[in-house]
Amino acid sequence: MRKILVVGAGQSGLQLALGLQSNGYEVTLMSNRTADEIRSGRVMSTQCMFDTALQHERDLQVNFWESQAPRIEGLGVSVAAPGSFDPGPSQRAIDWVGKLDGYAQSVDQRVKMAGWMETFAQRGGQLVIHGAAVSDLDYFARTYDLVLVSAGKGELVSMFGRDASRSPYAEPQRALAVAYVHGMGPRPEHPDFDAVRCNLVPGVGELFVMPTLTTSGRADILFWEGIPGGPLDAFKGVKDPSEHLALTLELMEKFTPWEYARATKVELTDANATLAGRYAPTVRNPIGRLPGGGAVLGVADVVVANDPITGQGSNSASKCAASYLDSIVEHGDKPFDEEWMQSTFDRYWDTAQHVVKWTNAMLGVPPEHVLNLIGAAGQLQPVADRFANGFNNPADFENFFYEPEKTNAYLASVSGV
């Protein structure tokens, strides 16, 4: 039986560990926190997982919360009208909702990671609660057939060099601020189904609102992405959760009054329901070389970390875990050498490259043809639906998003011009 070590217990690490376990591998999982510490700790992300990523969980039969989590059937886009931030519908230059072919869902990672970790242990997996250092991996690389690093922060990431050719940004492009709340009212435009709302405030940033399942049941996530140095870049040094929520709502009232109107009665879900930070989107080399000569393979955020503006983090982690699992199982008893590690990453990059291209494009100032596309979605429902479903399959944006000629041809074909 081949022995595999997975370092890091997030979406990718746990999904991969559970998948390997179900395929008969002897798996050790290292986490720097226990399941109880994760469950009672601070929120970790704004995960909204679309159909393809959810299917990977169904395939492994670890979709334990699917019947409880809200079914997100649409994705809405609003663009604030330039220059005026008074309440009322005139404040939105664009407002539409695209319907998803397959529903999306969000499960607070505190719920999911704690549950998955307990499941892994109950199924006989070796669970080690210990923060790993590079020196630890030097030893483990000699005692395991394969070491996978899925801990996306801290010392271990430094083993994986930045791939400058695939990383156009050296600095963070958004300041991030998250709050999980109860008491959010429905959107009057679609009271009969749940949708993720993407609110774009040109030159300022973005507000995302998404339904989720948290430790205390159904909730909503309020997520500001602020352009650094701008008015939304205001959360640095805010430690008190209630102050964080008050600032979130103050900014909503000013920049997205249509969302604030349904948030006047919200309260935080718990004392650890806020998060703020920033990081530079980065693609790294997939192979980490150890001082003793061994090699380890980076997973998900370790090797491809995108800004969350397109909501792809947990989706990419799930897709990476599924791709790596296939590569490991197909490799049989052959050694997991550096050539295999590189080809395994390259196989995942076939998918990941589309996420990187789209996310980096969305961080910049949108060109005229993209503004035209987003505007046309308000009049042409098929355009809204296709844009929404691009969140599930970002590769489709190649066909109608990046080049003015393709965008114009697509819009002409839909409108019948």
Side-chain angles (χ1 to χ4, degrees):
M1 188 183 295
R2 308 201 81 179
K3 292 173 62 180
I4 295 178
L5 172 65
V6 179
V7 181
Q11 173 76 38
S12 59
L14 275 160
Q15 183 182 318
L16 196 44
L18 289 161
L20 290 166
Q21 190 179 47
S22 68
N23 277 276
Y25 291 84
E26 186 179 326
V27 186
T28 300
L29 177 69
M30 286 187 78
S31 169
N32 61 358
R33 292 189 293 166
T34 66
D36 285 341
E37 286 170 339
I38 291 170
R39 193 178 279 116
S40 62
R42 184 170 292 281
V43 293
M44 295 180 279
S45 67
T46 58
Q47 66 297 311
C48 179
M49 297 183 67
F50 295 90
D51 186 54
T52 299
L54 292 175
Q55 188 59 47
H56 292 316
E57 297 185 357
R58 297 181 192 118
D59 292 344
L60 295 177
Q61 297 181 327
V62 294
N63 55 325
F64 304 140
W65 302 274
E66 186 158 4
S67 63
Q68 299 164 252
R71 293 193 174 196
I72 298 168
E73 296 179 44
L75 185 134
V77 172
S78 297
V79 179
S84 59
F85 296 112
D86 303 319
S90 63
Q91 278 318 97
R92 282 169 278 173
I94 295 169
D95 184 50
W96 50 260
V97 183
K99 291 298 292 283
L100 295 169
D101 294 337
Y103 59 80
Q105 289 190 308
S106 170
V107 177
D108 184 341
Q109 291 197 341
R110 296 177 297 180
V111 173
K112 185 191 285 188
M113 302 313 134
W116 277 2
M117 192 182 291
E118 289 165 346
T119 299
F120 174 78
Q122 289 162 4
R123 292 178 178 177
Q126 179 73 28
L127 180 61
V128 177
I129 306 301
H130 190 275
V134 173
S135 55
D136 298 318
L137 298 194
D138 228 1
Y139 168 76
F140 291 132
R142 294 192 291 271
T143 54
Y144 286 87
D145 295 302
L146 175 63
V147 175
L148 298 157
V149 178
S150 65
K153 299 181 179 70
E155 177 193 343
L156 298 185
V157 178
S158 64
M159 290 192 301
F160 303 89
R162 179 174 178 267
D163 183 344
S165 67
R166 292 170 170 171
S167 306
Y169 299 116
E171 301 296 329
Q173 297 300 297
R174 293 292 189 273
L176 316 173
V178 173
Y180 281 52
V181 298
H182 288 311
M184 194 78 176
R187 270 298 288 263
E189 296 90 338
H190 49 83
D192 53 337
F193 67 91
D194 280 314
V196 173
R197 301 295 318 190
C198 310
N199 299 279
L200 314 180
V201 186
V204 177
E206 300 81 27
L207 172 72
F208 298 89
V209 184
M210 69 183 72
T212 191
L213 176 72
T214 186
T215 51
S216 50
R218 189 209 154 97
D220 285 273
I221 301 172
L222 306 176
F223 175 33
W224 275 117
E225 287 227 348
I227 294 173
L232 302 178
D233 187 2
F235 291 85
K236 199 171 183 179
V238 176
K239 302 294 185 203
D240 180 69
S242 59
E243 188 182 340
H244 180 114
L245 177 60
L247 181 55
T248 297
L249 294 171
E250 181 185 318
L251 293 167
M252 287 173 67
E253 186 175 20
K254 180 174 183 181
F255 292 109
T256 58
W258 57 91
E259 295 289 11
Y260 176 76
R262 62 192 187 110
T264 54
K265 296 179 181 178
V266 300
E267 55 186 32
L268 292 173
T269 57
D270 60 273
N272 288 310
T274 60
L275 183 68
R278 67 189 74 203
Y279 61 89
T282 307
V283 177
R284 298 183 182 90
N285 299 316
I287 301 170
R289 292 181 176 83
L290 299 165
V296 297
L297 177 59
V299 185
D301 276 3
V302 171
V303 287
V304 183
N306 289 294
D307 187 279
I309 192 169
T310 54
Q312 295 297 300
S314 54
N315 292 275
S316 293
S318 175
K319 292 172 183 178
C320 182
S323 178
Y324 278 24
L325 178 61
D326 288 343
S327 293
I328 291 167
V329 172
E330 290 167 11
H331 200 55
D333 293 329
K334 297 190 285 286
F336 296 114
D337 55 19
E338 290 192 23
E339 182 181 353
W340 173 85
M341 290 182 181
Q342 185 64 52
S343 67
T344 294
F345 172 76
D346 291 343
R347 179 180 184 172
Y348 167 56
W349 180 250
D350 285 345
T351 300
Q353 62 179 325
H354 299 293
V355 178
V356 172
K357 183 175 181 178
W358 176 45
T359 304
N360 288 341
M362 290 298 288
L363 287 168
V365 177
E368 183 180 1
H369 73 277
V370 169
L371 293 175
N372 291 340
L373 177 71
I374 294 172
Q379 281 74 49
L380 301 166
Q381 191 60 41
V383 178
D385 294 346
R386 187 171 186 180
F387 193 96
N389 284 286
F391 282 74
N392 180 55
N393 177 28
D396 187 40
F397 285 113
E398 287 286 348
N399 301 314
F400 70 100
F401 184 82
Y402 301 110
E403 299 167 32
E405 298 77 15
K406 288 184 178 179
T407 301
N408 296 337
Y410 167 61
L411 293 178
S413 72
V414 175
S415 60
V417 175

